[in-house]
């Protein structure tokens, strides 16, 4: 099975919990979006993803399945 690329819309507590569950699997968080771009950047840095200022850009980012 190849790696599956995720886009996270929302970067709160639940997103953090899911990210922990995905760690070490064949899943990767590729992009994320939340209304507060600063929060998105912090989350993205913690999971190795890219933060986007628009949801549509995050959803259509390269590598998102």
């Amino acid at each position: 099975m190849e790696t599956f690329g995720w886009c996270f819309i929302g970067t709160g507590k639940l997103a953090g919990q899911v990210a922990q569950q995905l760690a070490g699997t064949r899943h990767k968080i590729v992009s994320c979006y939340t209304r507060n771009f600063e929060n998105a950047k912090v989350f993205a840095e913690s999971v190795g993803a890219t933060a986007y200022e628009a949801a549509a850009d995050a959803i259509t980012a390269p590598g998102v399945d």
Side-chain angles (χ1 to χ4, degrees):
M1 178 180 182
E2 293 182 24
T3 301
F4 186 88
W6 289 87
C7 170
F8 273 34
I9 304 296
T11 58
K13 184 177 179 179
L14 182 58
Q17 292 171 346
V18 174
Q20 287 179 343
Q21 294 295 314
L22 293 178
T25 68
R26 292 184 180 184
H27 296 264
K28 179 180 179 170
I29 303 169
V30 174
S31 66
C32 67
Y33 164 80
T34 194
R35 290 177 289 178
N36 182 319
F37 185 59
E38 293 303 315
N39 289 349
K41 289 193 302 186
V42 169
F43 180 83
E45 186 175 309
S46 74
V47 298
T50 301
Y52 289 87
E53 293 188 70
D57 293 338
I59 293 166
T60 59
V64 172
D65 293 309

